Structure formats: structure tokens, C-alpha cells
Amino acid sequence: MVKKGVSLKSRIERPTASIPDDDPYLWLEQIEGERALGFVERQNRLTLDKFGGPAFEPDRDTLAAIYDRPDNILYVSRCGGLLSNLWKDAGNPRGLWRRTTMDEFRKGEPAREDWLLNWSSSLPGAAQVILGLARGGSDTVSLREFDRNTKSFMPNGLVVG
């Protein structure tokens, strides 16, 4: 029951999807929205107008060639006897999450499992998160339970797919 004279907004402790706050930039959260994309396009144009210059494209292309080299150093982490890393290159600009065994890693061309992070879901404040992972970037998604605190998959956690 709502008390007379008390607005619904004054009783809300934090914004929700159905009742957002009065943030004037909330529209930026619609990352594929026409207004947000137009804003990004305008900001990119302003930046390029100010800093683009004649050297911009050659510098951009040189840096891209360096970052996208296939022989870049692999920075890996260990988890449960496996090595994993996030690999980014021209063919995978959003990155591939890869994992392999130490024995395979020591080979010249290790066999790997390539994973693309498809989505994640968790309860607010929870350390555990369910990751939707697509092997090799496919449409088929496997679910794994991941612990944010230990930065590892849960030893006896959920595995589907």
C-alpha cells in the first residue's frame, strides 16, 4: 500500500529495468540503438578531425600489423592443470578464450580448445557466474560455472554441453 503523498520514485532505493533513474545518459546503454550509435559516430568523427591527420592511417595500419602478428607472446594462466588465454588478432578482434594442457602447449602447434564468451549470468553480488561459452565461436553454447574470486571454474560446478 502506498502512503498518500509519497511518490513511487521516492521509495525506490536503486534503479530497475522497469523504473530507471533520471540518468540523462541512460540511452547510451542501448549500445545498438540509433541514438547511441549516432553519438559514437559523431565522437569518432570529432576525434579523427582533431587527431587523424595524414599519419593516422599508416600509424593505425602499422600498429594493427604488430598486434595481429601470429607469433605474439602468449600470456597464459593456469587453472586445474590446464593453461588458458584470451587471444586477439585480425580474425578474432573480440578474442578467443583458449585452453590446452601443458604437454600440448610445449608442442610447436598445440591442440587447443578455442572458446568464445557468448554471455554470462549471475545473481547480484554473487561470486559464482554461469558462462555461456561457444567452442570455436560456433552457435552451440556450453555452460560452465565460474568463480570470480578464485578466477577459475568451480571444481564440482555446473557443466552443461
Side-chain angles (χ1 to χ4, degrees):
M1 182 167 147
V2 177
K3 291 182 181 180
K4 197 171 189 178
V6 177
S7 72
L8 178 62
K9 188 165 184 167
S10 67
R11 294 184 296 117
I12 298 172
E13 294 181 15
R14 63 178 186 202
T16 65
S18 60
I19 307 172
D21 64 5
D22 58 356
D23 180 353
Y25 298 101
L26 197 58
W27 53 271
L28 283 171
E29 292 185 18
Q30 308 269 314
I31 60 173
E32 297 294 331
E34 188 176 324
R35 186 176 177 194
L37 290 173
F39 174 78
V40 170
E41 188 176 321
R42 286 188 303 279
Q43 295 304 310
N44 286 345
R45 177 57 35 219
L46 289 170
T47 301
L48 287 173
D49 288 348
K50 181 153 180 99
F51 300 108
F56 171 75
E57 287 186 19
D59 286 350
R60 180 199 60 206
D61 295 344
T62 299
L63 290 171
I66 292 168
Y67 292 131
D68 292 340
R69 286 176 49 159
D71 62 344
N72 280 338
I73 296 172
L74 298 175
Y75 294 98
V76 298
S77 59
R78 292 181 186 214
C79 178
L82 297 172
L83 301 175
S84 63
N85 77 318
L86 180 66
W87 179 259
K88 292 182 180 184
D89 60 17
N92 304 289
R94 293 186 176 188
L96 285 177
W97 191 3
R98 307 183 304 182
R99 73 178 188 172
T100 189
T101 64
M102 178 60 84
D103 289 338
E104 284 294 320
F105 184 77
R106 288 182 174 136
K107 294 179 181 178
E109 291 290 324
R112 292 188 176 94
E113 289 189 49
D114 292 345
W115 296 92
L116 179 70
L117 180 62
N118 190 287
W119 58 266
S120 65
S121 181
S122 67
L123 295 173
Q128 293 78 26
V129 60
I130 301 296
L131 300 178
L133 302 169
R135 182 176 280 126
S138 73
D139 291 336
T140 305
V141 174
S142 297
L143 305 180
R144 296 285 308 269
E145 190 172 5
F146 189 80
D147 187 315
R148 293 180 192 170
N149 293 335
T150 63
K151 297 181 181 150
S152 62
F153 289 105
M154 304 287 292
N156 296 311
L158 172 75
V159 177
V160 179

